[in-house]
Amino acid sequence: MKLLKIAWRNICSYGNKLQEFTFSDTPELILVEGKNGSGKSSIKEALTISLYGKSAVRKTKDIPNRINKNAYTYVDFLSSSGNSIRLERGIDPNYTNLTIDDSAHNLPDKRKVDSFVEDELIDFPFSVFSNTISLSFEDFKSFIKLTPTDKRKIIDRILEIIGIGAVIMIIITMLSSCGTSGLTTEQVKHRDEIDYELNKLWIEYEYKADS
């Protein structure tokens, strides 16, 4: 999958004005920075909801703006097989419109649409996406709570996509940048949990690779 463009309105803290973001053609990390309450997490939510039709951290009823309702997203992307996809979603009222190569492709049951999109078009599991691609410091706690089997699936999927060398660099970068300045005692505790879990998973993976 290659993301091209995302747009949203009335998602969480965002109001009725349509927000749009066009992705670069070159691979790059995207850092969203801002003050608390400025809408950073809402952007992450808009991307996750536009692709998968659900959130990893909140119930569907809590996604629309509390005043305006009428949550809306659309996302343009290229599927793993090269098809041009536009996926429009609405919440309160609920609807999904799927277009493949400019032709409508809507299934009668939203659950079937979501499964088709995830399995055939995105080809990237929701659990992996919400624990890697779309991730905040607080969300990482959900990774810590996963079973060892589910953690392994996520790590294996990351390795499959970006390779072992890239994973090593990610781990080194994460660990070296996790200082304690400005963090609360609870945040430091979570940082230490992340540190421990990453190192444990990496040791387990190396052992598995050598055996």
Side-chain angles (χ1 to χ4, degrees), residues 32-205:
V32 180
E33 186 177 13
K35 296 180 180 179
N36 288 342
S38 61
K40 303 184 300 297
S41 296
S42 297
I43 297 174
K44 177 178 65 68
E45 284 291 84
L47 177 59
T48 305
I49 293 160
S50 66
L51 290 171
Y52 295 94
K54 58 185 176 182
S55 166
V57 297
R58 53 173 49 89
K59 297 178 180 178
T60 301
K61 67 180 181 64
D62 296 326
I63 292 171
N65 181 283
R66 288 180 293 178
I67 298 175
N68 299 334
K69 307 298 182 183
N70 292 294
Y72 170 80
T73 69
Y74 80 73
V75 59
D76 295 332
F77 65 93
L78 298 179
S79 70
S80 55
S81 57
N83 298 105
S84 178
I85 310 298
R86 168 160 288 200
L87 183 57
E88 290 184 290
R89 297 185 186 273
I91 301 175
D92 195 15
N94 300 329
Y95 61 88
T96 302
N97 295 320
L98 172 62
T99 302
I100 303 177
D101 293 330
D102 296 324
S103 297
H105 188 95
N106 292 313
L107 299 172
D109 189 326
K110 178 184 179 298
R111 290 172 296 180
K112 292 183 179 180
V113 173
D114 292 342
S115 296
F116 174 72
V117 170
E118 180 174 347
D119 298 337
E120 303 296 331
L121 300 181
I122 300 176
D123 191 26
F124 200 89
F126 173 73
S127 60
V128 178
F129 183 90
S130 58
N131 280 284
T132 55
I133 306 303
S134 174
L135 183 66
S136 70
F137 184 87
E138 290 298 317
D139 292 342
F140 203 91
K141 289 184 291 185
S142 65
F143 177 83
I144 293 174
K145 295 177 182 178
L146 293 176
T147 66
T149 299
D150 287 339
K151 290 176 184 175
R152 171 64 58 214
K153 289 179 181 179
I154 290 174
I155 294 297
D156 285 348
R157 185 62 165 142
I158 295 172
L159 290 172
E160 177 186 337
I161 295 168
I162 62 178
I164 293 177
V167 172
I168 293 174
M169 291 306 300
I170 289 173
I171 293 175
I172 292 173
T173 301
M174 288 181 68
L175 295 181
S176 63
S177 63
C178 284
T180 59
S181 178
L183 297 180
T184 65
T185 301
E186 189 68 15
Q187 288 174 329
V188 172
K189 178 183 176 182
H190 292 321
R191 193 284 312 268
D192 290 342
E193 289 176 348
I194 293 171
D195 188 338
Y196 173 78
E197 291 291 334
L198 284 173
N199 277 282
K200 186 172 70 172
L201 283 170
W202 186 247
I203 292 171
E204 289 176 356
Y205 195 91

